[in-house]
Structure formats: C-alpha cells, structure tokens
Amino acid sequence: RGGAVAILSNTFFADFTDSQFDGNGATDRGGAVYGPANAQLEFINCAFVGNTAPNGAAVYDDTASTGTPQHETGVWDCTFAANQSTSAGSGTYQVGLPGLPQLENDILWGDSSENSTGYNVIYSDIAGGVLGEGNINADPQFLRAPSPGPDATWGTSDDDYGDLRLGKTSPALDCGLNIDTGTDILGQPRIVNVTIPPHGNIIGIPRSDMGAYERSDKVPPVADAGGSYSLFEGQTVALSSAASKGNITSYQWDFNYQFGQPFQVDSTSPSPTFSAVGLDGPATRTIALQVQDDTGAVETAYSSLTIANAAPVARFQGGTVTLGAAGSVSFSKIFDPSPADTAAGFQYSYDFNNDGTFEIADSTLSSATVPTGFLTTVGAHTINGRIQDKDGGFTDYTATVQVNAPALGAISGIIFNDHNANGASDTGEAGIAGRIVFIDKNKNGKLDTGEPSQSTAANGSYSFKSLAAGSYRIADVLPTGWRHTVPTVGYFDVTVAVGQVVTGKNFAETQNVLIAGTIYNDANGNAKRDSTEKGIAGRTVYIDKNKNGKLDVGEPSTVTASDGSYSFKTLAAGSYRVRQVLPAGSRSTSPTAGYYDLTLTSGQSAAAKDFADTTTALVSGIVFKDANSNAKQDAGELGLAGWVVYLDTNNNGKLDAGEKSFTTGADGKFSFVVPAGTYHLREVIKSGFTRTTPVRGLFTLTLASGQSATGKNFGNK
C-alpha cells in the first residue's frame, strides 16, 4: 500500500504541500499515498499524474468502515490527471466510508475514474461532473496532456507526465475559491487575474485558478518537436521546432532521448539536421526538444524518429561466352549505408533462366557460374540477381550473358620446292602452284570424295578457313618423282582452338633422292642391330663414284651424327655406291659386301642403309667331302652337314667342356666371332672318314681386332 508514501500510524498527521507524485504504483491501495484509519491527511498545491493501484489510483484514505472518523481529509488546489484504477468501483481519490474528504479548488481530469461520490467537493473541475458549489465539468485544457508513451504503460521509462498548467482559454481560470492568497506549486502568486469572469451572481471579483497551477500574465513557452520523422539508413532529415510557441530564447535537442536518463544536448539549432549516416536500421528512437523562454521557463516535447533499413545496391554484370561454354555473373561495387550491414555480409541469389525461381538462393558468394544448360542458344540470356542485407532489405537486378556462336579458325601454309632438301624455305626456293592440299578426314593418306581440298596459289600458298574448333590432318597430293622433306611423315596433325588461326604449316618438297642410314657398333658381330647396340658418331660415309673402295677427292661424303645417323639429301636421281671409311681394327658385318649399290629415281628415298661395324675377329670356313682327295673343294664337292668344328682352347686335340664349337648346317659352313687373340681350330672327325686337309687337322690363328680369317676349310673323304 502506498506506492510513494505509506502512513502506518492512526494518529499521524501528514501535510503535503507543493508536491508532485508521478508514475507510482501499488498492488493494493493508494498508487501514490496510503493513509490508515483516523490518520489526518492534507494536500495543498499537489499534482498526481500516472499513478496506478487497484483501489485509490492516486490516494487511498483507509477511514474505518464503522464508527465516527476523528478527522477530515483536506485536498486543496490540487490536480489529478491520468491516474489509473484497476479495480471496478475504485477511484482516483478513494476513502473508506463514512469518511468525508474535503476537495476545494481541485481538478480531477483524464483519470480512469474520478469516483468522487460522497466527497465534499466545491469549486472544482471534476470529469463527469459532481454536485457542489462552484463545480464545473469541462476540459481544463492542460498545456500538454500526460501520456504513458509508446508502450501504453505507466511507470515505465517512456512516460510523459505532461504540462498541467492551464491554457489561456481554460474554463478553470479564475473560477476557484479564494482560500489561499499565497503561491502555487511553482511558487508563483495566486489570484493573478487574466480575466474576471462572472461567478454565480458575483461579478468582477478576483479569484484563484483551479488546480495546482496559477496561470500568470506571461504565457509559458510551448515546446513542439515536430514529426513524427522517418528516414532511411544513410539519409538526413530536418527537425523542426516551428510549432513551438512563446518568447523562446534557446533550443536544445537530444537526438536519442532515454526516459529517466539525463538530457544529452546534440544540437542548439531551432531546425537541426539529423543524420542516419553510420546508423543501422530498422530502429526507432525518441527525439526530445527543450525550449526556454525569457523568464527561464523550460518546456520539453518529444517526437518519434524511425530509421528504416536501406537495401544494399551494387553492380550486377554478366559477360560474353561461346556457345557450349559456361557463363558467369557477379556483383561488384557493393554499397550499404549501414556499416553494420556491411560488416555482417550480404546474401546473393541467382535466377539463371529468368523464371522467378532462384537456382542459387542466399549464397554468400558474390559471383556464380551459369551452367551451360541455361545457355543453349545463341543470343542474349537474361539472368536475375538479388543482393540482400541482414535485415532482409534487398535489391533485384538483371544482367545479360551474351552467347555467341563459336568463332571459326583457319589453317594455312605454303608448298615450296626445297632444292637443297634442308626443310627450310631458303632464298630462291619458290612456292609450287597447283598442288592439291586436303583435309584427310579418315586419315587414310589419300584424297577421298567429300574431303575439303584446294589448289595452291601461284606463290604456293593455301588456306582452309571457317574451321570449327577441333583436330585436323592436313595432307597434300604428292606427285611422282617428289618427296617430302617437311613434314617427314607427309602430313600435319593440327588442333585448332575456338577462333584460332594456325599458320606456317608448310610442305617442303624436293625431287632430290634421299639415301640415309646408321653406322652402329655390332658388338656381338651378328650382323644385326640389337637393342643395346648404339650408333657410332664421327664415321665417314661417301658416294664411291669410281667404285675403287676408297674416298677420293670430289666424291660426296658426310660424317655420322651423335646417334650414328647419316644422310645424302641433295643427290639427283641415278645410281650410287655407298661406302664407309672403315677404321683400322674394325670390320663390317653388314652389308657383307661392305657397300650398297643403289639406283634411285627422282624423289625416291633409300632409308635404313645401315653399316654394322665390329672390333671382333671372324673365323670361318667349310667342312666338305673331298671326293678326289686333292685337299681342296672342287666343283660338285658338297659341304658336310652336322660336323662339329671347335676352338681347342687347351690345344689337347679334343673337344672339352666349355670350348666353343659350331655344328655345320646343310651347306657345311661354320663361323666363329671372337675377340682378338690366338686360337686353335679343329674338327671332330666322324667314323669312316679320313681327313685330307689340313694335314695335321689344325689351324693355329693369331687374330687382331676386327680381323677376318676366312677359308679355313676341312676336307674329308
């Protein structure tokens, strides 16, 4: 009981003068003041605003329900406004019966229920009216009516307790009882006549005003903060005090007023600019204006200001792609006036086919790949994009992805007469006109029906244009008597990218013949090139024009490369003997003749004319049937097959384990490839035969590197 004051003693005397009770509350009785039975209460020049209780929203005088009260409560020159009773039948000022409070020169207006039944009320302004001398029932015209604020609840921080002074046309002016010639709640003199209205049958007698405030000759200032105001993040708005009234000498604005907190001065201009730059919305704040007039009177007014969320803005761009390729779209140059929105980041959505449905929604990526499935036709494709901030503010954009048909490429080159067969287009080597060049689609090496082809121009040039990206084999129809020096395989395999122009695919052709081969180290002397046998560099190969077996002055020659290869490229058609200069200590195992005799027509190639050289020695001969016993093989005397010839390492006259042997074939021939050294060559004579040669049945041989010992024959009969 008693939200502000609770009196506990029945004999207590309480006198409240020039006091104001705002926003107090009790859960039972007396929102502002509670008095017990028989305690005496007096209120002079007091104001009660926004107090709440189930019984006695402002004051509850708990006079005993039986017996004779020992006092009367006095309420003089007081104002009650916007007090709220929460129980049916209760009132603003409530007593227990039969208490009889005396109300004089009071105003009870705008409360939930004045409930003045049974009171002794005179010269007062009571809402709803009450019988009694000098009473009226009229709006007292407060300068500003009290308000519980946006939350509609008294006792909270946004309450506005109003300005309970009387307006200049208030019916409560000069209508009170002259019971007090002192001062009002503000210390201003009472009975200050602005008008002298008639009162009953009395005319022209000065009177005090009803309520706690006496109106003076000086009109108090009226503060008006204008509004309500609204703006977006990043914007500004002009605040206006133009509706304020009075002899105002100063203005003070609090741009973010907090009820119950000290007033913060943000501007002293009558019409300042409020800026939402750097602020985050949506948000609502209270704007407060305090004005002061030339008497020092201060008035405060309030207004609301709403900061709305501003959607982010950006640039949304597409691009150009080739049909069959994926595209892309992206947001750039992103701006949001709220730093908080920017710090939180944005969400991005993408509608690739412009059907109103986002294929990618609420992504944190500011770019997206447009799949090829949405770009299946040539032309402009509209892509929708949305950027959204943390508060749901968004902006929609469209961008265009231009799909172009694939750019076409080309392949070009020339065909020229490569006189010196070096594969390069040298001075004086002209292009060849009229040659057929074609795209060998099936790669069969010939021009088939339907394959693109063309003839070279006068300068030997050709060009295949309007080619889609892909792989092509470019070949030419090579006339008889010509050969390619470039490309050696006779064609070019070319891969063309989109729109690519490939040049320099030149065919070098010559009528010169080609003789080429390799000199290699035939390490095992078997006259064939095995996998481990390498070419021999620096060997001289020549054209033996006079066929005398030696390199003479004027005869064409060349030296083998690092891999043992050689070639003659500038020879005209004709017959040629190709030899090598065989160094001492080496012998040729292939060709057996030691040279190649070649007859070549125009443009013909003779490749793989290889020379096999070895440093091993050779022992060879034949086992034959010496029918006439003359120790030599005569015509008609055949070789003996199946005879064993061996190298008698220990010279003991018999074939021992580990000694090298050779079994003759049908022709009776045998051979041994051996390192340089001394050897004893014997045969195993078969039963029924007599040797005719050699007489002792033995050849003793000392062989140098690369030496050949041939004709080591065995005759038997």
Side-chain angles (χ1 to χ4, degrees):
R1 300 179 180 182
V5 177
I7 300 170
L8 303 180
S9 171
N10 286 340
T11 61
F12 194 83
F13 179 87
D15 180 5
F16 297 93
T17 304
D18 300 335
S19 302
Q20 181 150 340
F21 299 84
D22 293 342
N24 303 287
T27 60
D28 183 9
R29 304 176 186 183
V33 178
Y34 170 77
N38 301 321
Q40 184 172 347
L41 304 178
E42 288 187 356
F43 298 94
I44 302 172
N45 290 342
C46 292
F48 298 82
V49 181
N51 302 288
T52 59
N55 299 284
V59 178
Y60 193 98
D61 182 6
D62 202 0
T63 302
S65 60
T66 60
T68 302
Q70 298 179 2
H71 70 275
E72 280 190 354
T73 298
V75 184
W76 300 286
D77 297 313
C78 292
T79 300
F80 297 81
N83 300 285
Q84 302 295 310
S85 299
T86 58
S87 176
S90 66
T92 300
Y93 194 109
Q94 189 169 350
V95 298
L97 294 177
L100 192 63
Q102 179 75 20
L103 275 68
E104 299 178 359
N105 279 19
D106 299 319
I107 297 175
L108 282 77
W109 197 270
D111 304 294
S112 61
S113 174
E114 275 64 32
N115 192 17
S116 57
T117 302
Y119 299 171
N120 183 11
V121 182
I122 61 174
Y123 294 97
S124 296
D125 186 2
I126 307 294
V130 63
L131 294 176
E133 182 182 352
N135 294 330
I136 62 175
N137 175 19
D139 185 349
Q141 299 181 18
F142 297 134
L143 290 183
R144 187 175 77 254
S147 169
D151 66 0
T153 302
W154 287 106
T156 56
S157 63
D158 62 348
D159 296 346
D160 177 6
Y161 299 109
D163 187 339
L164 302 183
R165 290 176 295 176
L166 303 177
K168 64 181 179 180
T169 61
S170 171
L173 294 175
D174 299 324
C175 291
L177 182 65
N178 297 331
I179 59 172
D180 183 1
T181 59
T183 57
D184 67 2
I185 191 172
L186 298 178
Q188 296 180 356
R190 283 286 186 181
I191 313 180
V192 177
N193 298 104
V194 177
T195 62
I196 306 177
H199 193 76
N201 58 359
I202 301 173
I203 300 175
I205 298 175
R207 292 183 176 279
S208 65
D209 300 335
M210 294 177 179
Y213 296 87
E214 183 78 14
R215 187 174 185 275
S216 68
D217 289 335
K218 289 187 176 292
V219 177
V222 177
D224 191 318
S228 300
Y229 301 98
S230 63
L231 73 167
F232 287 96
E233 295 168 337
Q235 291 185 338
T236 60
V237 64
L239 307 181
S240 174
S241 63
S244 299
K245 298 177 181 178
N247 297 320
I248 299 173
T249 58
S250 69
Y251 300 84
Q252 292 185 330
W253 294 84
D254 185 341
F255 291 161
N256 191 18
Y257 180 74
Q258 304 292 323
F259 287 96
Q261 300 296 321
F263 192 96
Q264 302 293 325
V265 179
D266 294 310
S267 176
T268 58
S269 169
S271 299
T273 297
F274 175 85
S275 173
V277 174
L279 301 181
D280 187 44
T284 300
R285 56 175 59 194
T286 298
I287 300 292
L289 168 66
Q290 285 187 350
V291 298
Q292 182 173 323
D293 67 7
D294 54 3
T295 69
V298 176
E299 286 297 315
T300 304
Y302 309 94
S303 184
S304 64
L305 182 143
T306 300
I307 302 171
N309 180 56
V313 295
R315 176 182 294 175
F316 187 52
Q317 292 178 300
T320 301
V321 297
T322 300
L323 185 65
S328 65
V329 287
S330 63
F331 288 92
S332 62
K333 298 187 180 300
I334 299 168
F335 173 75
D336 192 297
S338 167
D341 288 347
T342 301
F346 303 98
Q347 292 181 324
Y348 308 89
S349 300
Y350 304 91
D351 176 7
F352 296 138
N353 56 0
N354 193 24
D355 66 350
T357 299
F358 292 119
E359 280 71 39
I360 298 177
D362 300 332
S363 169
T364 58
L365 301 178
S366 60
S367 63
T369 296
V370 184
T372 56
F374 293 94
L375 305 173
T376 57
T377 58
V378 172
H381 293 256
T382 299
I383 313 297
N384 290 334
R386 172 176 291 181
I387 180 173
Q388 181 171 305
D389 64 19
K390 65 175 176 56
D391 301 309
F394 64 87
T395 305
D396 288 335
Y397 293 94
T398 60
T400 298
V401 174
Q402 177 66 39
V403 178
N404 294 333
L408 299 177
I411 302 173
S412 64
I414 61 171
I415 297 179
F416 66 94
N417 190 341
D418 188 11
H419 291 295
N420 58 9
N422 67 349
S425 180
D426 300 313
T427 302
E429 293 181 336
I432 304 174
R435 287 289 175 84
I436 302 300
V437 186
F438 64 98
I439 297 177
D440 190 2
K441 289 185 175 181
N442 57 10
K443 299 182 180 180
N444 66 351
K446 63 180 181 177
L447 175 59
D448 298 309
T449 301
E451 290 181 333
S453 65
Q454 59 182 262
S455 296
T456 56
N459 64 350
S461 64
Y462 72 90
S463 179
F464 291 98
K465 300 178 181 178
S466 301
L467 299 179
S471 296
Y472 299 89
R473 176 167 287 184
I474 308 299
D476 70 338
V477 178
L478 188 67
T480 302
W482 292 78
R483 66 179 177 87
H484 291 109
T485 60
V486 172
T488 55
V489 294
Y491 57 82
F492 292 104
D493 280 335
V494 183
T495 297
V496 179
V498 175
Q500 183 181 10
V501 176
V502 180
T503 61
K505 298 306 175 183
N506 301 333
F507 291 87
E509 299 177 358
T510 184
Q511 291 177 299
N512 295 334
V513 299
L514 173 66
I515 301 173
T518 301
I519 297 179
Y520 66 91
N521 182 10
D522 185 14
N524 57 11
N526 66 352
K528 65 179 181 180
R529 189 170 187 179
D530 300 310
S531 60
T532 59
E533 293 176 340
K534 298 182 179 180
I536 304 173
R539 290 288 174 86
T540 299
V541 185
Y542 64 99
I543 304 297
D544 191 4
K545 287 185 176 182
N546 56 13
K547 301 181 180 180
N548 66 350
K550 63 179 181 178
L551 175 58
D552 298 313
V553 176
E555 290 180 331
S557 65
T558 186
V559 176
T560 58
S562 60
D563 62 352
S565 63
Y566 74 91
S567 63
F568 293 95
K569 299 179 180 180
T570 59
L571 300 175
S575 296
Y576 299 94
R577 175 167 288 182
V578 184
R579 282 187 178 274
Q580 66 165 323
V581 177
L582 189 66
S586 293
R587 64 184 177 87
S588 177
T589 61
S590 179
T592 55
Y595 56 83
Y596 292 100
D597 278 339
L598 306 171
T599 298
L600 304 174
T601 60
S602 177
Q604 188 177 359
S605 295
K609 300 307 175 184
D610 300 337
F611 292 90
D613 294 350
T614 184
T615 57
T616 62
L618 174 66
V619 179
S620 64
I622 188 171
V623 178
F624 66 95
K625 188 175 182 180
D626 189 7
N628 57 10
S629 302
N630 65 351
K632 65 179 181 177
Q633 186 179 16
D634 299 313
E637 292 181 337
L638 302 177
L640 294 173
W643 283 63
V644 175
V645 181
Y646 66 98
L647 298 177
D648 190 4
T649 303
N650 56 12
N651 199 21
N652 65 353
K654 62 180 181 177
L655 176 59
D656 298 312
E659 290 180 333
K660 228 176 187 186
S661 64
F662 190 100
T663 301
T664 62
D667 60 358
K669 292 181 179 180
F670 67 89
S671 65
F672 294 93
V673 177
V674 294
T678 299
Y679 299 94
H680 305 286
L681 180 65
R682 295 180 185 272
E683 70 172 344
V684 178
I685 193 166
K686 290 189 176 184
S687 176
F689 282 85
T690 302
R691 184 182 301 108
T692 62
T693 186
V695 177
R696 297 176 55 198
L698 168 69
F699 292 103
T700 298
L701 309 169
T702 298
L703 304 174
S705 178
Q707 186 178 352
S708 295
T710 60
K712 304 306 176 185
N713 302 334
F714 290 89
N716 299 283
K717 70 171 183 174

